Amino acid sequence: MNHHTALAQLIPSHYPLLQAPMAGAQGSALALAVCAAGGVGSLPAAMLSPDTLKAELQVLRDAATGPWNVNFFCHTPPEPDTVAETRWRAALRPFYDEAGIDPASVPAGAGRVPFSHAVADVVEPFAPPVVSFHFGLPAPDLLARVKSWGSRVLSSATTVEEALWLEAHGVDAVIAQGLEAGGHRGMFLTSELGTQLGTFALLPQVVKAIQVPVIATGSIADAAGVRAAMALGAAGVQVGTAYLCCPEASTSALHRAALMSEAAHHTELTTLFSGRPARGIVNRLMRELGSLNSAAPAFPLATAAVAPLRAHFEALGRTDCTPLWSGQNASGCQTLPAAEITAALARGFA
Ligand SMILES: Cc1cc2nc3c(=O)[nH]c(=O)nc-3n(C[C@H](O)[C@H](O)[C@H](O)COP(=O)(O)O)c2cc1C
C-alpha cells in the first residue's frame, strides 16, 4: 500500500490536505470551511478555556462535513522561577518605560496549558476523528485514552530521531515540520536549533526512516509546493500560513497587514514571545532584544510579561511587541475564502 492510500484509510478526507492548527489566529470557522472544501480543518486548543473548547468542539461535531482535527500542546509546564522572571522584566525595561507600564504591576503566568486528563474529560464526549499534538506526545496512559475513543493521533517531528520516537510511541502518522514553518517548532527531543532541517531535507529522510504515513509541513503555499512535497514521498500536506488572511481566520488586522507586506520576506525564529523558538516576521522587539535573547524564561512563561507591551503598542496601531507568526513563504496569503485557497492547493494532487 502506498503512503497516500495509507493516509486516506486513516483520515478519509477528499484531499490529503490538513489546515494547520494555528492558536490565536483561528477557530472552528476556518476549520469548518476547510472541511467543507474537502480538506481536514483543525481546531487549535492550546489557548482555549475548557468552556470555549467545549463550545468549539460542539460546533465542529455538529457542522463538520468530513474528518476534523483538534490540536494540543504537550509540554511539561516549568516551575515558576522568580529569578528568571526578574531577569526577563529587566530585559524588557526600556519597553515598559516607553509604554509607561510598571513591570511590578504585570502578573506572571502561563498562557498555554498542556493536554491533561482534565482536558481529555472535555474532549472525550466528542471523540474527534483526529487529534494532533505539538512538542511530543502526552504520557502513555493519556495517549491510550485518546486512542480508546477511536481518534487518529498525529504529532510533529522536526528531526529523523523525533520521527522514529513518535512512530515507536504509537502515532498513526507523523507531521514532518521543516525549519521554514510558521509558529512554534514542534521540537521535543532536543532544544539545539542546529539540528533543525528544512522541509525538503527533512521530508525524504523521515519518509525513508519510518513506516507510518508522513505529512509534510513548512512553507507549502501553492499547488507546486504540494506537488513537490508529494514527489518527495509525503502522504499528505499540512498548510498554515497560506490560510492566515482568509476571512474565516481570526488573524488580527495588524498581523494580516504584515503578512501581505514586504516585511513578511524576513522571518526569524524567536523565543521572546513564549520561551520556545517560533517563527515570525521580524519586529522591533526581535530587532532590539535579539530574537533568541537568553533572558526569555522557559515556555510558556515569557508570554505574560510581553502581553501588556503588545497591547500598548497595538492600541497605537503598531506591532512592536506583537508575535507575527509566519512561515518563510507568505506568498500564499490572499484575502480569499478558505475554500478557494484549499481548491488552489489541491490542484497539486492532480
Ligand atoms: C499563526 C500560527 C500559529 C500556529 N499555532 C500552532 C498550534 O497551535 N499548534 C501546532 O501544532 N502548530 C501551530 N503552528 C505550526 C503549524 O502547525 C505548522 O507547522 C506551520 O504552520 C507550517 O508552516 P507554514 O505556516 O509555512 O505553512 C502555528 C503556525 C502559525 C503560522
Side-chain angles (χ1 to χ4, degrees):
M1 192 188 324
N2 71 28
H3 276 150
H4 192 141
T5 315
L7 186 64
Q9 286 193 348
L10 288 170
I11 307 174
S13 53
H14 191 69
Y15 300 119
L17 167 61
L18 283 79
Q19 164 251 315
M22 294 185 286
Q26 52 101 191
S28 58
L30 180 64
L32 282 180
V34 172
C35 287
V40 180
S42 296
L43 175 70
M47 302 203 304
L48 301 184
S49 68
D51 285 346
T52 308
L53 173 59
K54 186 173 173 192
E56 289 282 72
L57 289 169
Q58 262 157 358
V59 171
L60 283 166
R61 182 188 56 193
D62 295 347
T65 42
W68 47 277
N69 170 39
V70 55
N71 169 263
F72 299 95
F73 287 177
C74 41
H75 57 286
T76 307
E79 292 298 323
D81 178 341
T82 45
V83 175
E85 193 64 39
T86 306
R87 197 178 52 206
W88 182 219
R89 283 159 197 242
L92 294 169
R93 184 87 217 191
F95 288 84
Y96 286 128
D97 288 348
E98 182 179 332
I101 295 170
D102 173 8
S105 70
V106 178
R112 298 166 179 85
V113 289
F115 192 61
S116 63
H117 278 293
V119 177
D121 289 343
V122 177
V123 181
E124 182 162 5
F126 299 94
V130 184
V131 174
S132 73
F133 294 104
H134 219 42
F135 313 135
L137 287 170
D141 61 322
L142 199 43
L143 181 62
R145 190 173 165 196
V146 173
K147 291 187 148 196
S148 74
W149 315 326
S151 299
R152 302 303 188 184
V153 172
L154 315 178
S155 183
S156 303
T158 66
T159 61
V160 173
E161 289 71 25
E162 287 178 349
L164 288 164
W165 188 97
L166 291 174
E167 181 179 52
H169 287 77
V171 296
D172 293 299
V174 165
I175 302 163
Q177 189 197 32
L179 186 54
E180 303 93 321
H184 283 91
R185 308 271 332 118
M187 56 203 298
F188 61 94
L189 290 183
T190 174
S191 55
E192 181 49 62
L193 287 176
T195 62
Q196 301 293 286
L197 303 175
T199 304
F200 282 4
L202 178 67
L203 173 61
Q205 297 189 79
V206 169
V207 168
K208 195 170 167 195
I210 63 176
Q211 303 305 311
V212 298
V214 180
I215 297 162
T217 201
S219 281
I220 298 169
D222 54 22
V226 171
R227 211 171 288 125
M230 300 306 279
L232 286 173
V237 298
Q238 178 171 281
V239 175
T241 299
Y243 282 107
L244 281 174
C245 292
C246 294
E248 297 93 339
S250 55
T251 316
S252 72
L254 289 170
H255 193 173
R256 286 172 193 261
L259 287 161
M260 304 288 265
S261 76
E262 291 198 352
H265 295 161
H266 188 187
T267 66
E268 283 181 8
L269 291 179
T270 179
T271 49
L272 298 179
F273 298 107
S274 69
R276 272 189 189 250
R279 184 173 295 284
I281 298 169
V282 173
N283 67 358
R284 182 174 158 216
L285 190 71
M286 291 160 73
R287 264 193 306 272
E288 293 189 10
L289 258 53
S291 294
L292 300 171
N293 191 310
S294 59
F299 181 89
L301 299 177
T303 308
V306 180
L309 296 171
R310 171 182 178 174
H312 169 81
F313 287 105
E314 285 184 356
L316 302 174
R318 289 163 52 172
T319 58
D320 301 41
C321 293
T322 303
L324 299 167
W325 304 139
S326 171
Q328 284 184 335
N329 182 4
S331 67
C333 289
Q334 296 180 71
T335 315
L336 287 175
E340 289 186 39
I341 301 281
T342 304
L345 289 162
R347 285 186 205 108
F349 298 120

